[in-house]
Amino acid sequence: MSNSTQDPFYSSPFGPFYRRHAPYMVQPEYRIYEMNKRLQARTEESDSLWWDAFATEFFEEDATLTLSFCLEDGPKRYTIGRTLIPRYFSTVFEGGVTELHYILKHSKESFHNSCITLDCDQCTMVTQHGKPMFTKVCTEGRLILEFAFDDLMRIKTWHFTIRQYRELIPRSILAMHAQDPQVMEQLSKNITRMGLTNFTLNYLRQLCVILEPMQELMSRHKTYNLSPRDCLKTCLFQKWQRMVAPP
């Protein structure tokens, strides 16, 4: 006896028209949701091993992370490799942040070769700061992610271009200190620079300034499999040749 309320698109696994569905591929935006959930699971006891596991779950072994923004002295662009990504995220919390998550609006996806690109022109990095005062910071910009098209769906490249930021203080805190000019003056000062803490900025600045001159040595070592000393000798000799060569 047939059931008249049966779903017309239902196919019994024992019937002749049953077909097994292809494995479900997680959408790139959902991976950011999973990253937010993992960041929420962070505790004060989360050590370097926890951050390494976090980076291993969401970033490829050869992944790069780039931040672009403009400070008072001009535009900045910092790029770090996979080994430094765990430390970057940990510095965010060491700089006074208690919560971190990303909000994506109207993102676009594109497929090419073995990669999926997620382009979100309205991305907001939201951070809650517990010190020096309770403040919510919304850092807005464009986030472009490139994912590996496989079962892990890990990030190959991360590029966040910051356009603007807002620091929000609860009205209750302002009302509490309304009669104290010194506290009000302190509350009027920004606690971040383009939404980033000085702790994180110093980390990026020192790393990129130190590592940038070494990129040529690393590339030569990887290409020719030379020892570090031989790489340095070769680079210095070639620079000396360019200096003494006729124009």
Side-chain angles (χ1 to χ4, degrees), residues 96-162:
V97 172
T98 57
E99 294 182 25
L100 164 65
H101 66 274
Y102 295 87
I103 300 175
L104 306 181
K105 292 184 179 180
H106 309 299
S107 59
K108 300 178 181 178
E109 300 175 9
S110 59
F111 301 83
H112 51 91
N113 297 332
S114 59
C115 298
I116 306 176
T117 300
L118 177 71
D119 189 344
C120 182
D121 193 53
Q122 299 182 40
C123 173
T124 303
M125 181 180 73
V126 181
T127 52
Q128 294 279 4
H129 295 248
K131 58 182 182 181
M133 65 199 71
F134 184 82
T135 309
K136 178 180 180 180
V137 180
C138 298
T139 308
E140 302 170 356
R142 181 181 184 183
L143 180 64
I144 301 178
L145 304 178
E146 188 178 70
F147 292 84
F149 189 64
D150 55 20
D151 293 337
L152 296 178
M153 281 282 291
R154 296 191 298 183
I155 299 170
K156 295 175 65 68
T157 60
W158 171 298
H159 191 172
F160 188 34
T161 303
I162 300 174

Side-chain angles (χ1 to χ4, degrees), residues 12-49:
S12 170
F14 302 102
F17 303 106
Y18 177 73
R19 183 178 63 182
R20 183 183 298 274
H21 291 285
Y24 174 71
M25 182 63 68
V26 176
Q27 292 183 342
E29 195 165 329
Y30 186 75
R31 287 295 283 161
I32 300 302
Y33 168 78
E34 292 179 327
M35 176 184 287
N36 289 337
K37 295 288 289 184
R38 189 70 71 247
L39 289 171
Q40 290 176 4
R42 182 203 66 92
T43 64
E44 295 295 333
E45 289 73 32
S46 297
D47 55 8
S48 59
L49 294 178

